[in-house]
């Protein structure tokens, strides 16, 4: 694993750097394999990044979009990660509908939805059960409790090592999430983290030793490269 940590002056610089990295990886992937696969994160931090991507002139038919996690709500619900990404980016560009690989959330059974998304991924990547295909980029955020995707501290989702997708749990509310082994199969994992409220969690994530189950972002150790992009408010106290 190649690990890089960059502390940017502010959120504007953070988004600009994130955009530059994604565009570079997109260009490389399309030249090498004819397509680019990316898993999106939710939350407020990446919204301006998605808006910036939407403003680019890109080969949209060669870009495939997935989600690293999703709240178990309808796609038009205000809390939906899919809705946020569609509003900020996907509905603004001519990306084919079949290139948008949304998480199913309408089965009234999170386990069924998780299994459906896993099957969809296996079909798309032509991978067998037990294999972990590699997305080109998995974009992640981090909460002030050090959770990432919907991998929350001391939850059952952290124990799942033989699946691509599982059911996460946030205060009793189910979510659909990538497992950490699936995230770790990616060619590039990019954390985009902003805000001074993230400093205590980051200190534990970057500590030489700490409880992985208490600070789930520590479990993200991809086979490819790991990039931490932090604004100054988040990264000011880190020695990197």
């Amino acid at each position: 694993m190649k690990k890089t940590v960059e502390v940017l002056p502010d959120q504007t610089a953070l988004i600009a750097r994130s955009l530059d990295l994604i565009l570079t990886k997109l260009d490389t992937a399309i030249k090498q394999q004819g397509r680019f696969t990316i898993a999106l994160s939710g939350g407020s931090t990446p919204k301006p990044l998605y808006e910036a991507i939407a403003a680019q002139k890109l080969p949209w038919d060669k870009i495939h979009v997935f989600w690293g996690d999703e709240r178990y709500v309808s796609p038009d619900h205000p809390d939906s990660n899919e809705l946020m990404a569609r509003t900020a980016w996907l509905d603004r560009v001519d990306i084919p509908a079949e290139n948008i690989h949304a998480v199913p959330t309408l089965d009234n059974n999170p386990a069924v939805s998780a299994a459906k998304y896993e099957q969809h991924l296996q079909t798309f990547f032509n991978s067998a059960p037990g294999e972990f295909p590699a997305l080109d980029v998995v974009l992640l955020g981090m909460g002030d409790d050090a959770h990432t995707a919907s991998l929350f501290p001391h939850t059952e989702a952290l124990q799942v090592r033989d699946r691509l997708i599982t059911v996460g749990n946030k205060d009793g509310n189910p979510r659909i999430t990538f497992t950490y082994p699936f995230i770790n199969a990616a060619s590039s994992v990019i954390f985009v983290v902003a805000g001074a409220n993230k400093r205590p969690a980051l200190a534990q994530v970057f500590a030489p030793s700490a409880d992985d189950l208490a600070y789930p972002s520590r479990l993200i150790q991809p086979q490819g490269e790991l990039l931490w992009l932090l604004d100054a408010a988040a990264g000011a106290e880190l020695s990197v």
Side-chain angles (χ1 to χ4, degrees):
M1 180 187 73
K2 178 186 177 184
K3 179 179 177 180
T4 303
V5 181
E6 297 183 23
V7 180
L8 289 306
D10 52 34
Q11 290 198 40
T12 299
L14 176 68
I15 296 304
R17 178 61 176 143
S18 303
L19 176 65
D20 181 63
L21 272 172
I22 289 171
L23 294 180
T24 298
K25 295 180 184 306
L26 182 152
D27 183 64
T28 299
I30 291 175
K31 286 178 179 177
Q32 291 180 348
Q33 58 206 32
R35 73 182 186 195
F36 174 68
T37 57
I38 182 170
L40 305 185
S41 61
S44 59
T45 301
K47 185 177 181 181
L49 172 59
Y50 300 158
E51 292 170 341
I53 295 173
Q56 309 299 308
K57 292 183 178 180
L58 298 171
W60 300 113
D61 61 319
K62 295 180 172 61
I63 298 170
H64 288 264
V65 176
F66 302 81
W67 276 263
D69 74 315
E70 182 60 275
R71 296 174 175 87
Y72 206 63
V73 296
S74 64
D76 60 354
H77 191 282
D79 292 338
S80 167
N81 289 339
E82 178 187 347
L83 178 63
M84 187 274 278
R86 285 186 179 276
T87 302
W89 168 12
L90 300 172
D91 288 348
R92 299 184 179 189
V93 301
D94 292 326
I95 186 169
E98 60 269 23
N99 288 22
I100 300 173
H101 305 269
V103 180
T105 59
L106 299 177
D107 297 296
N108 294 317
N109 186 326
V112 169
S113 298
K116 281 185 177 180
Y117 203 43
E118 176 150 341
Q119 181 60 58
H120 179 78
L121 285 156
Q122 289 172 339
T123 300
F124 178 85
F125 286 103
N126 193 28
S127 61
E131 293 181 349
F132 292 92
L135 285 107
D136 294 310
V137 170
V138 173
L139 191 65
L140 295 175
M142 190 195 74
D144 56 14
D145 60 354
H147 87 268
T148 192
S150 283
L151 301 170
F152 290 91
H154 301 296
T155 55
E156 292 182 6
L158 301 179
Q159 306 294 339
V160 180
R161 301 178 178 88
D162 59 348
R163 301 290 300 273
L164 308 182
I165 306 296
T166 192
V167 179
N169 186 305
K170 169 63 172 173
D171 297 330
N173 296 310
R175 301 193 180 189
I176 308 300
T177 185
F178 282 12
T179 62
Y180 78 83
F182 182 36
I183 295 173
N184 285 341
S187 298
S188 295
V189 175
I190 303 175
F191 276 92
V192 181
V193 180
N197 61 314
K198 307 297 175 64
R199 288 183 191 175
L202 284 168
Q204 295 298 320
V205 172
F206 281 81
S209 63
D211 183 353
D212 293 350
L213 300 183
Y215 304 97
S217 291
R218 291 178 60 89
L219 292 167
I220 307 306
Q221 303 286 337
Q223 65 178 11
E225 62 177 348
L226 174 61
L227 299 112
W228 283 88
L229 303 182
L230 315 171
D231 73 349
E237 297 176 0
L238 286 179
S239 298
V240 297

